[in-house]
Amino acid sequence: LTAGCLAVCGRMEAPWFVLLFVALVPWVWALDRAASAAEAAGAGAILCVAFAGAVFPWFPATVERYAGAGPGVVWLIFLVAAPLLEPQFVTFALTRHLARRQGAGLGAGLLARGAPILVYVGTELLLPKLFFDTLGLGLYPSSFLRQGADLAGVHGLTLLVLVVNDLVVAALQRTVRDGAGEHGAG
């Protein structure tokens, strides 16, 4: 679901860019149920593959035409390489899992929510990528929101997208938790 939403946002058309603010919610919701670091890394790798296949389907076709290689081979290599092409999903998943396991309390909650977001943006800034892609680019159709790139850069817009997604996840988790508490008390 997350990869599909991001593929729609990748079309860079209004009004679809608004989906960016909830696109990661299904994935993060599932990620928060990872029982181990290996499961979290797996969830990150799966999103890498789904994202690459959904957002960049033109790339294997281009390589196929250029290199004269078979489509199956090119797609296989592309999807296997996806975690190297989009490592921010894996680093986010691992950081979120590890930070959430550090314990309860205000400090731990802020750590569990803030650290993965900063690691995601840092990964994009520090690790080389084949494509200069970041979630903030998807806000281009909004003349108002893209103005933020003047102040914070495109990665600042990515930070905004990640924070809003995280706030939506937190609100939904709280709603579910509070709803379960009401039903369990009766």
Side-chain angles (χ1 to χ4, degrees), residues 77-115:
I77 292 169
F78 179 63
L79 295 178
V80 167
L84 298 173
L85 301 173
E86 301 297 334
Q88 70 277 9
F89 295 118
V90 175
T91 60
F92 176 93
L94 280 171
T95 305
R96 186 166 177 104
H97 177 77
L98 295 173
R100 289 176 59 83
R101 299 298 173 252
Q102 294 301 313
L106 178 62
L110 290 174
L111 175 68
R113 298 214 172 274

Side-chain angles (χ1 to χ4, degrees), residues 42-70:
I46 288 169
L47 185 56
C48 292
V49 171
F51 176 82
V55 176
F56 301 115
W58 55 267
F59 186 72
T62 303
V63 171
E64 176 191 338
R65 283 191 305 275
Y66 179 78

